[in-house]
Amino acid sequence: MCGIIGFCGYLDAKQELIKGLAELEYRGYDSAGIACFTERGIEVVKSVGKVAGLENKLPSRMESGCGIGHTRWATHGGVSEVNAHPHQCGNVTLIHNGIIENYHELAKELEETGRVPSSQTDTEIAAMLLDSLYHGDALAALRGAVDRLEGAYAFCIMFADQKDVIYCIRKGSPLVCCSSEEGSVVASDMVALLRYSKEYFVLPEYQVAKVTKNTITVMELDGTVVSPVMLSIHWDMSAAQKNGFKHYMLKEIHEQPEAIRRTLAPRMKKGEQLLPDFSEDGISDELFWDTNRVVITACGTAMHAGMMGRILMERLLRIPVSVEVASEFRYEDPILDEKSLVILVSQSGETADTLAALRLAKEKGAKTLSIVNVKGSSIARESDYVLYTHAGPEIAVASTKAYTAQLTAFYLLAFRFAYVAGKLSAQEVSEYMKGLDGVGELMEKVLEQKDKMKELSKRLTPAQDLFFIGRSLDYALSCEGSIKLKEITYIHSEAYAAGELKHGTLSLITGGVPVIALATQADVFAKMISNVKEVRARGAMVILITKEGNTAAIENGICDEHLVVPASDDIFAPFTAAIILQLLAYYTSSYRGLDVDQPRNLAKSVTVE
Ligand code: AGP
């Protein structure tokens, strides 16, 4: 939700800010703006729409080595130039990522002192508050503001009388910083730091970073200087670029076999038997011995990975496992104790609802383990245990490689847990692990057939409604296929447990309505085929996905299109079938001429409620 960047150094600040904003644009893309210190004071340029539009508006005379930039995902106030950041009030110019929850109350108080906002944003109120508290001492003003502000925020602030200095503070929303020969940089995401340095730090909550061109000084609010904990990025710039692919999403779909191998490698210790090993992650078997219940909570695609994890864990461990949408879980009163393990799943590690669910689980005394892609993110830092997925930077709003890397993490956990609990022998786990190790290769085979999906997508392009059906693991994957399709193609779609269709939804299946039926699981294959016949009998256009070897019962004419994933143990079929669904969504979106990587109204990292 919103990308923020600050640069202070030896290069042309406006150009650096534009480059950074382009890299952060996946976080929000309805408007953008920058502010720079120039010899004429602080100059601000804003524009509605994408960063490219802002770039075209920049005056060449805006010479500066220090400035801040913002790309917005609107929360308070519509999409307009006046609502775009930076916001200015008196001495203060700032950008913000987050939501100020008590802005209404603050606005009223400030209005009584004669300050009237010109925008509808909560951010302008924060700028007004800070200006009212600023009398030349930035720390004093920030202390006062922190006392009054409720909600989540990451701010980069320029005070008019402190030329070429940026102050940063955060609560809830992310902010990372790095120093380099070119200067000092702060941003919402390390992707925007990559060009400067691979060493960075996460600004701790309620600490202040004072950014100048040569240094970043981190202080407590009382002015005590502290040393930040440095982290290293193991990616290079190319990991965050399109590398010849038309879209990030297509590139990231292709990166999945590698992402899975990278996620597996540090956890595959080859001994006599191939067992998952979490010693490098600091996850000991005690965690498993001491657990009698697992709750998985997450949002969107990460939650769908959790649905798969639930089936697998419950099947292999025989203990209760449930999946909860984090935005609901956080406002319920979940029954948790020290024998409960709460697993949080998040690509970004910053999703506000998942973070709140984590905090609630800890408050209730549960053990917490997170499956996270972004190193050093809030969810990773606050969980008792972290199992990092090594998918690399995921830039497209539609999550693909993070999803299959999350599945990989769940399979590893389920196998280890089942072994520790004595539910699977070392040999059985070893067999499963070999299967998991081979998944990358199977996915490559599906990728080789991408032209089939491309061709088939032409049939989906005119659809208005579409249904996904499946049972067990295939149902969990249907949910993911459906969100992928709707978020980037804007086609209304729903995922149904195939057996549930006849309890109402079948009335929506009429002539030509596309139904994507997943039938990769042998134990429910015959039932699935019956469900396919039911929709077929109502005139649906059926795309059937089966697994090599499971095709015996497929009669002529049962479907319009038939796609087959390579043979494997049934439990690994979701990996290969996921690629088919991702490619169908991708090509359909392309044929519809849509912005695949940055679909309307969405943002990659949802750091607000
Ligand atoms: C998926 O394609 C999404 N755009 C979205 O559902 C995402 O998975 C969700 O917002 C959770 O994000 P996280 O993994 O960063 O927590």
Side-chain angles (χ1 to χ4, degrees):
M1 295 286 93
C2 302
I4 65 180
I5 180 146
F7 176 85
C8 204
Y10 299 91
L11 305 173
D12 179 357
K14 64 176 180 309
Q15 291 308 335
E16 297 310 297
L17 295 173
I18 291 292
K19 283 185 220 160
L21 288 181
E23 281 150 358
L24 294 169
E25 198 168 29
Y26 69 89
R27 300 179 67 89
Y29 32 84
D30 57 41
S31 50
I34 66 166
C36 290
F37 282 106
T38 71
E39 54 189 21
R40 291 169 293 281
I42 295 177
E43 290 185 48
V44 177
V45 184
K46 305 185 196 186
S47 84
V48 167
K50 301 245 176 161
V51 174
L54 175 69
E55 190 176 5
N56 293 335
K57 269 183 91 173
L58 293 180
S60 55
R61 63 179 188 116
M62 197 181 189
E63 273 166 25
S64 172
C66 182
I68 55 180
H70 186 273
T71 174
R72 180 171 187 244
W73 185 83
T75 56
H76 293 61
V79 177
S80 65
E81 227 168 77
V82 72
N83 286 338
H85 301 211
H87 285 281
Q88 286 193 294
C89 182
N91 251 314
V92 172
T93 302
L94 61 72
I95 50 175
H96 169 220
N97 173 24
I99 287 186
I100 305 303
E101 286 167 0
N102 60 337
Y103 83 102
H104 202 62
E105 169 196 328
L106 293 171
K108 268 190 172 170
E109 285 176 27
L110 289 160
E111 219 173 298
E112 279 161 24
T113 66
R115 290 168 197 268
V116 182
S118 49
S119 74
Q120 292 89 51
T121 65
D122 52 335
T123 303
E124 190 185 1
I125 304 301
M128 285 165 57
L129 173 71
L130 207 52
D131 184 56
S132 72
L133 296 166
Y134 183 68
H135 308 290
D137 181 345
L139 281 187
L142 287 170
R143 275 196 299 275
V146 163
D147 275 350
R148 297 301 322 277
L149 295 170
E150 287 168 21
Y153 49 81
F155 289 118
C156 293
I157 308 149
M158 307 198 307
F159 294 101
D161 57 349
Q162 296 198 44
K163 191 164 188 284
D164 294 345
V165 181
I166 301 167
Y167 286 89
C168 307
I169 188 161
R170 74 174 195 100
K171 178 197 158 203
S173 306
L175 206 60
V176 289
C177 317
C178 78
S179 300
S180 72
E181 280 179 7
E182 294 91 353
S184 308
V185 195
V186 294
S188 312
D189 188 327
M190 64 184 82
V191 165
L193 305 184
L194 277 171
R195 84 179 67 251
Y196 306 99
S197 173
K198 289 192 173 179
E199 308 298 311
Y200 72 103
F201 65 90
V202 178
L203 180 66
E205 286 186 311
Y206 301 117
Q207 291 186 1
V208 177
K210 182 178 177 184
V211 181
T212 62
K213 60 182 172 188
N214 295 319
T215 50
I216 302 180
T217 311
V218 181
M219 294 167 277
E220 300 284 0
L221 275 163
D222 65 5
T224 313
V225 174
V226 292
S227 306
V229 179
M230 296 306 294
L231 298 168
S232 303
I233 311 173
H234 298 293
W235 316 324
D236 55 25
M237 276 299 281
S238 70
Q241 287 167 347
K242 287 187 196 153
N243 291 346
F245 284 93
K246 192 167 177 211
H247 296 101
Y248 282 111
M249 183 180 176
L250 190 59
K251 174 190 170 237
E252 289 160 6
I253 289 173
H254 280 80
E255 283 173 341
Q256 290 180 101
E258 251 335 283
I260 287 171
R261 287 183 192 115
R262 276 201 307 271
T263 302
L264 278 178
R267 287 97 190 200
M268 299 257 286
K269 292 283 146 60
K270 291 194 173 107
E272 217 169 284
Q273 304 283 10
L274 192 55
L275 299 176
D277 182 308
F278 299 128
S279 39
E280 281 181 27
D281 304 289
I283 302 173
S284 78
D285 288 345
E286 268 168 53
L287 173 67
F288 305 133
W289 290 330
D290 221 22
T291 296
N292 62 13
R293 180 174 174 228
V294 178
V295 179
I296 301 167
T297 182
C299 303
T301 287
M303 199 267 295
H304 297 149
M307 287 172 72
M308 201 75 80
R310 183 193 74 75
I311 299 172
L312 206 67
M313 285 183 146
E314 216 160 47
R315 198 185 275 180
L316 298 179
L317 303 171
R318 312 307 305 149
I319 61 169
V321 183
S322 57
V323 188
E324 313 285 342
V325 176
S327 55
E328 289 295 312
F329 178 83
R330 64 180 292 189
Y331 292 115
E332 284 164 3
D333 188 10
I335 304 166
L336 299 171
D337 60 24
E338 67 288 354
K339 289 214 173 283
S340 318
L341 173 65
V342 176
I343 302 182
L344 299 304
V345 195
S346 178
Q347 188 285 127
S348 61
E350 299 293 349
T351 300
D353 287 320
T354 312
L355 183 59
L358 163 67
R359 290 176 178 164
L360 177 69
K362 290 182 83 169
E363 217 176 278
K364 298 240 169 210
K367 295 163 288 185
T368 56
L369 183 153
S370 59
I371 297 174
V372 172
N373 196 41
V374 177
K375 210 170 159 185
S377 54
S378 303
I379 293 172
R381 280 181 293 111
E382 292 189 29
S383 306
D384 299 327
Y385 304 93
V386 193
L387 192 57
Y388 279 113
T389 47
H390 298 300
E394 191 180 66
I395 309 289
V397 166
S399 183
T400 51
K401 62 176 179 171
Y403 170 71
T404 44
Q406 287 157 356
L407 294 188
T408 308
F410 271 115
Y411 280 65
L412 285 167
L413 283 172
F415 295 154
R416 179 81 203 178
F417 218 160
Y419 169 66
V420 171
K423 306 283 183 196
L424 289 178
S425 68
Q427 198 181 339
E428 284 167 322
V429 173
S430 194
E431 282 309 308
Y432 274 136
M433 286 296 285
K434 282 180 203 153
L436 191 55
D437 199 20
V439 152
E441 214 172 299
L442 299 180
M443 289 170 106
E444 275 153 5
K445 283 192 189 161
V446 181
L447 286 167
E448 280 163 20
Q449 296 174 36
K450 67 178 172 200
D451 286 347
K452 259 195 206 165
M453 275 61 92
K454 190 173 178 180
E455 195 47 38
L456 188 45
S457 298
K458 288 184 186 153
R459 296 193 71 170
L460 302 180
T461 304
Q464 286 191 332
D465 302 287
L466 194 151
F467 292 84
F468 287 82
I469 56 172
R471 286 170 179 255
S472 107
L473 293 174
D474 281 338
Y475 169 58
L477 182 61
S478 296
C479 294
E480 176 52 17
S482 177
I483 195 178
K484 212 84 311 166
L485 188 97
K486 57 189 146 194
E487 76 182 318
I488 61 169
T489 68
Y490 315 156
I491 296 173
H492 161 249
S493 103
E494 290 188 45
Y496 261 84
E500 184 64 12
L501 267 190
K502 54 189 166 298
H503 299 288
T505 314
L506 211 45
S507 61
L508 296 175
I509 308 291
T510 52
V513 170
V515 173
I516 299 184
L518 286 145
T520 67
Q521 303 295 302
D523 56 343
V524 286
F525 184 74
K527 306 281 172 209
M528 263 311 295
I529 294 302
S530 303
N531 298 136
V532 168
K533 286 181 181 167
E534 285 160 14
V535 292
R536 190 81 181 132
R538 271 90 193 163
M541 193 276 275
V542 176
I543 298 175
L544 179 62
I545 302 175
T546 62
K547 190 166 65 70
E548 214 177 303
N550 268 3
T551 47
I554 297 174
E555 304 148 19
N556 274 347
I558 193 175
C559 58
D560 294 80
E561 303 282 353
H562 185 195
L563 297 166
V564 183
V565 295
S568 68
D569 187 308
D570 283 2
I571 68 166
F572 301 119
F575 287 93
T576 45
I579 296 204
I580 293 184
L581 302 190
Q582 293 164 351
L583 287 170
L584 289 176
Y586 171 78
Y587 288 118
T588 305
S589 175
S590 299
Y591 286 135
R592 286 169 76 103
L594 300 173
D595 189 340
V596 177
D597 285 335
Q598 295 177 342
R600 71 181 175 211
N601 303 340
L602 298 178
K604 178 82 181 154
S605 179
V606 186
T607 52
V608 296
E609 275 197 68

